[in-house]
């Protein structure tokens, strides 16, 4: 009697070990992990084809060459005019200067300008330069900014040999996130910003259910790595989280004759 019992026990242990080496993940678990294979049976795949997908097929986008936007971009400023922009003060014609070299420059004290169109989550590209001629210091040297949904500022500032509070320096999410690096080119030269912005989400009661995020490349260098937006970015006071929908992209007139210029502004809605 003893021998068959030992055999049965050994068989069960062996079977258990065999089983524990195989990976069994249910379709539901896989779906929760964001993976969907239509032919998945619940067993670990044994052929490469079982983990290959052929749809959805990503749309084709032709990259911009020679500083042109990609084929699916919404162009906000191509150097010709400010037709896509209005004054933030009174929604009249944007009063900034359009220059012969295809750039535009802040017209001091005429106020911020913003896009006519409203946007949510976007990939934004723009180029900016602060004046070559150095004037003033701290926050009053080449200060402007790019606001998303009219509320959240990525700082533009001439920080070359010009220290200021680090959560307000160039590339900061104003008063919220210090940039990972100071990546500016010399004053008067053109910087690039490539910004991935994900808008915050609010429920029907107006409570924020998901924070917005910023990822920022400054001259190709990662300076904000998917940081969480805590709320609005005011000069004075705490971040606020009032519910909102889509909003314009806004460029700041800091009102101190900072004369920051912009060019080649486009975005892709996400
Ligand atoms: Mg600013």
């Amino acid at each position: 009697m003893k021998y068959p019992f030992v055999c049965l026990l050994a068989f069960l242990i062996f079977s258990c070990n065999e089983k524990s080496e195989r990976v069994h993940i249910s379709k539901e678990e896989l779906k929760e992990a964001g993976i969907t294979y239509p032919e998945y049976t619940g067993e670990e795949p044994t052929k490469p084809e079982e983990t290959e997908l052929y749809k959805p097929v990503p749309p084709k986008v032709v990259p911009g060459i020679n500083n042109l936007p990609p084929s699916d971009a919404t162009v906000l400023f191509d150097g010709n005019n400010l037709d896509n922009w209005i004054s933030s003060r009174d929604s009249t014609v944007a009063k900034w200067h359009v220059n012969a070299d295809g750039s535009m420059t802040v017209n001091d004290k005429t106020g911020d300008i913003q896009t006519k169109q409203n946007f949510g989550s976007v990939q934004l590209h723009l180029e900016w330069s602060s004046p070559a001629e150095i004037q003033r210091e701290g926050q009053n040297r080449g200060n402007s900014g790019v606001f998303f949904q009219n509320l959240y500022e990525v700082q533009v500032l001439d920080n070359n040999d010009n220290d200021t509070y680090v959560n307000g320096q160039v590339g900061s999410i104003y008063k919220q996130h210090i940039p990972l690096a100071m990546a500016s080119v010399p004053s008067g030269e053109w910087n690039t910003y490539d910004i991935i912005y994900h808008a915050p989400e609010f429920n029907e009661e107006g409570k924020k259910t998901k924070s917005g995020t910023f990822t920022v490349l400054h001259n190709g260098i990662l300076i904000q790595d998917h940081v969480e937006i805590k709320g609005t970015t005011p000069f004075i006071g705490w971040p606020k989280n009032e519910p909102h929908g889509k909003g314009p992209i806004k460029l700041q007139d800091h009102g101190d004759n900072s004369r920051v210029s912009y060019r080649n502004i486009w975005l892709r809605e996400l």
Side-chain angles (χ1 to χ4, degrees):
M1 282 301 284
K2 213 173 181 183
Y3 180 70
F5 176 73
V6 171
C7 281
L8 180 64
L9 195 65
F11 173 74
L12 285 173
I13 290 169
F14 181 73
S15 300
C16 285
N17 282 344
E18 266 281 284
K19 270 199 162 181
S20 68
E21 283 169 14
R22 302 190 69 176
V23 178
H24 292 268
I25 306 171
S26 70
K27 272 191 170 183
E28 288 67 33
E29 284 174 307
L30 210 63
K31 202 173 175 184
E32 269 179 35
I35 306 166
T36 48
Y37 296 105
E39 306 306 323
Y40 187 64
T41 60
E43 298 291 331
E44 182 169 13
T46 53
K47 299 177 198 155
E49 296 78 19
E50 291 177 75
T51 47
E52 293 171 2
L53 296 176
Y54 291 88
K55 55 184 181 181
V57 178
K60 285 185 181 169
V61 177
V62 181
I65 51 166
N66 297 329
N67 228 19
L68 288 171
S71 59
D72 66 344
T74 299
V75 177
L76 299 176
F77 179 68
D78 64 3
N80 289 314
N81 56 58
L82 292 173
D83 289 357
N84 295 322
W85 301 80
I86 53 172
S87 163
S88 299
R89 276 188 189 159
D90 54 12
S91 300
T92 58
V93 173
K95 296 169 187 67
W96 289 17
H97 304 292
V98 177
N99 308 311
D101 65 357
S103 66
M104 63 158 133
T105 302
V106 177
N107 186 1
D108 189 43
K109 295 185 181 59
T110 60
D112 304 338
I113 64 170
Q114 65 189 53
T115 54
K116 288 177 179 171
Q117 200 178 334
N118 291 327
F119 302 99
S121 301
V122 294
Q123 170 190 351
L124 179 95
H125 172 91
L126 61 74
E127 295 157 32
W128 62 269
S129 74
S130 48
E133 182 193 343
I134 302 302
Q135 291 184 321
R136 299 172 300 280
E137 57 187 30
Q139 290 284 313
N140 295 318
R141 181 181 297 175
N143 191 333
S144 184
V146 191
F147 287 75
F148 291 75
Q149 294 190 300
N150 208 13
L151 294 169
Y152 312 111
E153 182 184 11
V154 178
Q155 176 71 300
V156 168
L157 192 75
D158 182 356
N159 262 130
N160 293 313
D161 301 316
N162 181 37
D163 292 339
T164 184
Y165 46 94
V166 291
N167 60 346
Q169 75 169 64
V170 64
S172 63
I173 308 307
Y174 189 69
K175 291 205 170 168
Q176 288 185 25
H177 292 287
I178 302 163
L180 299 170
M182 205 298 266
S184 291
V185 294
S187 307
E189 295 185 16
W190 286 98
N191 291 270
T192 62
Y193 269 178
D194 287 283
I195 300 172
I196 314 299
Y197 168 72
H198 284 283
E201 294 174 12
F202 301 87
N203 64 18
E204 285 182 3
E205 287 77 47
K207 191 171 166 38
K208 188 167 79 174
T209 53
K210 192 175 178 187
S211 292
T213 59
F214 273 120
T215 298
V216 182
L217 296 165
H218 182 187
N219 295 320
I221 294 158
L222 182 67
I223 60 163
Q224 298 287 353
D225 188 5
H226 198 65
V227 295
E228 189 174 309
I229 301 167
K230 297 169 184 169
T232 54
T233 55
F235 178 41
I236 301 169
W238 300 121
K240 307 293 188 302
N241 285 286
E242 294 296 318
H244 62 83
K246 289 184 173 184
I249 304 290
K250 184 170 79 178
L251 302 177
Q252 185 183 41
D253 167 18
H254 199 249
D256 53 11
N257 199 24
S258 272
R259 288 184 289 116
V260 172
S261 297
Y262 290 93
R263 72 179 184 189
N264 198 20
I265 308 175
W266 54 261
L267 60 75
R268 301 175 64 244
E269 294 187 73
L270 301 177

